[in-house]
Amino acid sequence: MNPSAGVVAITRQVKPGYEIEFEEALRGVTQAASTFPGYVSSEVLYPRSRRGAWDLILRFETLEQLQAWEDSSICQS
């Protein structure tokens, strides 16, 4: 991995019964991130149990590009 790459992992607990809505929200975040310069990829790590943590990993080419994503109005809302 490039040592100057920007990677962020976001972990959330999802209330049982809201998994479908959460997956839709993850798709929206991933789609929005993919429009930003330097976007490389994203990955969802699903929980082992229904009450487990969900992780979204976003990768950008540089830390500066990740910072631009995190500072964007999309992330601030």
Side-chain angles (χ1 to χ4, degrees), residues 20-69:
I20 292 172
E21 290 88 346
F22 188 72
E23 284 186 285
E24 290 172 2
L26 287 175
R27 280 192 292 277
V29 169
T30 299
Q31 183 178 19
S34 73
T35 67
F36 274 69
Y39 171 83
V40 174
S41 66
S42 62
E43 182 177 1
V44 176
L45 303 177
Y46 292 89
R48 292 184 183 200
S49 72
R50 201 163 185 186
R51 295 183 185 260
W54 294 58
D55 295 297
L56 171 61
I57 300 170
L58 294 172
R59 295 176 188 87
F60 288 82
E61 291 176 2
T62 68
L63 186 57
E64 292 78 16
Q65 290 167 326
L66 169 61
Q67 191 65 55
W69 159 252

